Amino acid sequence: MAAAGNPGGLAVFVAQEKGFFAKNGVDVKVEIRNTGKELSTGLRAGDFDFAPAAFTNLPAALERGLNVRGIVGYVGAAFEKSTSDAVVALVASGASGINSVSDLKGKKVGVTFGSTGDVWLRQALKEAGLSINDIERVNTRPPGLVSVLDTGGVDAISAWEPFVYRATQKVKGAKIVKRGGDLVCFCAYLHGNPDRVYKDEAATQKFVDAMAEAAAYVRNPANKQEVAEIGTRFVNMTKEEVLAGLDFWVYDPRIGTNTSKA
């Protein structure tokens, strides 16, 4: 299976490290990908049986012919409400003069086109009476968001954790201008090809059970330090970055009415 290269994949990493997959009789190899496009492309190509797909980029993948079924929550609080975006934020450089979303007019903003951060940015602009035509969007892959802000290539970035925390720590004078606001749902569910999902429903259920156990483990405050350590072994993050993100990521495996609304 595949997981995203950020704290959103912690439930998967924990399921592997703590033996929840093995306990439920599931043999899993975890592969890391950096973007939603890479995840959906790999799923379509049959590179993995299951992979997360964010609500914001899944529709485009479906239009391109991706045939999948969602089986269990990966990240986000879509079961409880149709918006969940505290993990996303607008970070501005100290020299930008940006103190609010309204100040973005005429500015350069680094963002990964088509990502949830991009959708969130559009909604934040709309809320402030602006549109993407009022700014210059600079398409930037997630790993490059902090460096493009640091070098002055952009005035601000629309990013998610750990890049939000990393920017505030590494870019002189950087500050969070806006975080979340229930504008979108930064949510993803694990999906699989229907043939794989329904071929052995008992095996699929075991996989879902393992993910549910792992998500509960991640949510338990008593496990926070250990979970952060596990995260550093799977992706390029410091323990401090993982811990900072845990305050904003939501790990809920449930699927319900609000999931459809999201």
Side-chain angles (χ1 to χ4, degrees):
M1 70 162 295
N6 58 48
L10 279 174
V12 174
F13 308 151
V14 166
Q16 185 81 321
E17 284 282 298
K18 298 299 293 182
F20 292 121
F21 285 137
K23 172 188 171 184
N24 284 277
V26 185
D27 183 16
V28 173
K29 176 184 177 182
V30 178
E31 296 189 13
I32 307 298
R33 297 292 186 272
N34 286 318
T35 67
K37 183 177 180 180
E38 291 174 358
L39 290 164
S40 60
T41 298
L43 191 58
R44 183 188 297 109
D47 294 339
F48 358 94
D49 294 311
F50 301 115
F55 289 7
T56 47
N57 53 42
L58 181 60
L62 294 174
E63 289 177 0
R64 292 193 297 269
L66 182 65
N67 184 22
V68 294
R69 298 292 184 273
I71 59 170
V72 65
Y74 176 79
V75 72
F79 178 81
E80 295 184 347
K81 58 180 184 176
S82 59
T83 54
S84 175
D85 56 10
V87 73
V88 192
L90 176 71
V91 183
S93 67
S96 67
I98 298 172
N99 296 300
S100 68
V101 176
S102 299
D103 295 332
L104 288 178
K105 189 169 185 177
K107 302 290 187 178
K108 291 183 178 180
V109 182
V111 62
T112 304
F113 285 9
S115 68
T116 306
D118 194 15
V119 177
W120 179 87
L121 174 62
R122 292 167 183 261
Q123 293 303 311
L125 288 167
K126 182 179 179 181
E127 184 182 55
L130 301 175
S131 75
I132 58 170
N133 296 323
D134 293 308
I135 66 171
E136 181 179 344
R137 288 158 64 242
V138 179
N139 192 17
T140 310
R141 285 174 55 82
L145 286 167
V146 176
S147 61
V148 75
L149 182 66
D150 190 31
T151 57
V154 297
D155 301 296
I157 58 173
S158 177
W160 52 90
E161 298 294 350
F163 307 113
V164 173
Y165 175 79
R166 192 176 293 172
T168 61
Q169 298 301 303
K170 295 189 175 183
V171 180
K172 185 177 180 180
K175 59 184 177 183
I176 296 174
V177 175
K178 180 179 176 64
R179 180 185 285 277
D182 281 332
L183 302 179
V184 299
C185 193
F186 195 108
C187 305
Y189 279 69
L190 284 171
H191 293 74
N193 183 283
D195 291 339
R196 176 65 182 84
V197 171
Y198 300 120
K199 181 179 180 180
D200 186 342
E201 293 188 14
T204 298
Q205 185 61 56
K206 290 178 181 178
F207 180 84
V208 170
D209 291 344
M211 284 297 299
E213 287 189 59
Y217 195 90
V218 173
R219 292 196 305 271
N220 188 338
N223 302 326
K224 194 172 184 179
Q225 296 294 324
E226 182 187 10
V227 167
E229 288 283 0
I230 291 173
T232 64
R233 295 199 283 272
F234 280 82
V235 293
N236 184 27
M237 296 180 293
T238 66
K239 183 177 179 180
E240 291 70 25
E241 288 173 337
V242 181
L243 286 171
L246 279 172
D247 291 333
F248 303 104
W249 290 96
V250 179
Y251 304 91
D252 189 342
R254 297 174 295 176
I255 298 176
T257 302
N258 285 322
T259 309
S260 298
K261 294 179 181 178

XYZ file of all heavy atoms in Angstrom, residues 4 39 87 125 150 162 191 200 227 240 256:
81
model
N 1.098 8.897 2.179
C 1.662 10.203 1.850
C 2.869 10.485 2.733
O 2.924 10.061 3.890
C 0.607 11.292 2.039
N 0.006 9.391 -5.899
C -0.730 8.312 -5.247
C -1.803 7.737 -6.165
O -1.927 6.519 -6.316
C -1.358 8.821 -3.947
C -0.379 9.123 -2.810
C -1.042 9.973 -1.740
C 0.152 7.825 -2.201
N -5.159 21.842 9.581
C -3.799 21.461 9.222
C -3.225 22.356 8.120
O -2.025 22.351 7.859
C -3.773 19.975 8.782
C -4.411 19.801 7.416
C -2.365 19.414 8.798
N -9.299 33.306 -0.209
C -9.349 34.531 -1.012
C -10.795 34.995 -1.186
O -11.107 36.180 -1.042
C -8.712 34.286 -2.382
C -7.189 34.127 -2.411
C -6.738 33.585 -3.767
C -6.498 35.457 -2.120
N 11.705 31.038 1.719
C 12.946 31.484 2.357
C 13.823 32.292 1.403
O 14.487 33.254 1.809
C 13.714 30.262 2.870
C 14.885 30.638 3.760
O 14.801 31.671 4.446
O 15.881 29.891 3.773
N 3.908 19.102 7.696
C 4.796 19.842 8.591
C 5.376 21.125 7.992
O 6.195 21.783 8.619
C 5.924 18.831 8.828
C 6.057 18.143 7.501
C 4.632 17.996 7.010
N -8.344 4.049 -0.585
C -9.136 3.509 -1.683
C -8.423 2.317 -2.314
O -7.207 2.172 -2.207
C -9.358 4.571 -2.767
C -10.206 5.713 -2.336
N -9.753 6.695 -1.474
C -11.489 6.044 -2.637
C -10.721 7.572 -1.266
N -11.775 7.208 -1.956
N -11.760 -10.427 -1.878
C -11.712 -11.131 -0.594
C -12.149 -10.130 0.471
O -11.325 -9.431 1.062
C -10.295 -11.640 -0.322
C -10.215 -12.519 0.927
O -11.148 -12.453 1.758
O -9.223 -13.256 1.070
N 4.501 7.895 18.907
C 3.968 8.071 17.551
C 4.864 9.009 16.747
O 5.143 8.768 15.567
C 2.523 8.618 17.612
C 2.069 9.111 16.242
C 1.572 7.534 18.120
N 10.128 17.001 16.405
C 9.438 18.247 16.746
C 8.395 18.601 15.695
O 7.303 19.090 16.013
C 10.447 19.389 16.886
C 11.364 19.291 18.100
C 12.387 18.170 17.993
O 12.715 17.774 16.849
O 12.852 17.683 19.042
N -19.311 8.263 7.103
C -20.713 8.521 7.408
C -21.333 9.555 6.489
O -20.792 9.877 5.426
